[in-house]
Amino acid sequence: MPPAYSRARPFMARLTGNRRLNKSRSEKETRHLVYNLGEAGLDYKPGDTLGIWPENAPALLAEIARLTGLSPESLAKRDITRLTPPLLSFCSMRAPALAALLAEQSEANQQAWLWGRQIRDVLETYSIVIPIKSVTLLIHRGIFLRSSVAV
């Protein structure tokens, strides 16, 4: 019988490896992530699941709140970095220069342009006001542990 669920104390773990497992043409993206849990003081066995609850960096949260006019509290559980296709579409309808830039590029060039850009880049450049519902929620992740504490 598995142990009862419990939310352990929060801790930080350094990401030491990140490798894509799918071929580059795949529509799915599966990654092999390696975290150094040595200093975390966790007691786990292979097959346990590690829960990840992401949080926004306070400085970035304050900056996005300033740019959007939204409160930091309303943005705290939102993904304030990821420029999603619906958000980009919303922004391009309100910024003709952005719409023109995207329209003149092929899909591959659009993806290249988007690489490394975040919401704040578009908001700063094009002075767009966005509603809170257009910013996606942060997603809780569960990671299946395959290694042992001996590794």
Side-chain angles (χ1 to χ4, degrees):
M1 175 181 234
Y5 170 81
S6 68
R7 183 174 273 186
R9 63 177 167 68
F11 68 92
M12 298 291 289
R14 183 170 303 280
L15 179 67
T16 59
N18 182 349
R19 183 172 53 98
R20 185 176 177 154
L21 298 176
N22 310 79
K23 295 191 185 290
S24 61
R25 296 180 302 269
S26 175
E27 290 183 26
K28 251 173 83 168
E29 186 171 315
T30 303
R31 295 198 163 266
H32 175 218
L33 302 174
V34 179
Y35 289 93
N36 181 349
L37 301 176
E39 301 292 319
L42 295 178
D43 181 27
Y44 67 90
K45 298 180 212 79
D48 287 350
T49 301
L50 176 68
I52 297 178
W53 284 264
E55 292 183 2
N56 290 306
L60 182 59
L61 191 58
E63 182 180 2
I64 297 296
R66 179 185 59 79
L67 288 168
T68 61
L70 298 168
S71 72
E73 294 78 22
S74 68
L75 291 166
K77 298 295 180 197
R78 302 277 174 168
D79 186 345
I80 59 173
T81 60
R82 199 162 53 102
L83 193 54
T84 62
L87 182 57
L88 187 60
S89 176
F90 177 90
C91 292
S92 64
M93 288 189 292
R94 284 148 183 82
L98 176 60
L101 174 74
L102 295 173
E104 68 188 28
Q105 296 182 9
S106 68
E107 179 70 26
N109 286 346
Q110 282 184 20
Q111 292 305 313
W113 182 83
L114 283 171
W115 180 254
R117 284 194 167 77
Q118 296 183 355
I119 291 173
R120 82 167 157 215
D121 300 318
V122 171
L123 297 178
E124 283 179 331
T125 304
Y126 299 101
S127 301
I128 300 166
V129 176
I130 59 172
I132 189 68
K133 66 181 180 183
S134 64
V135 183
T136 60
L137 291 169
L138 285 170
I139 299 172
H140 156 254
R141 303 269 186 210
I143 296 178
F144 184 68
L145 299 174
R146 293 188 175 216
S147 67
S148 73
V149 290
V151 172

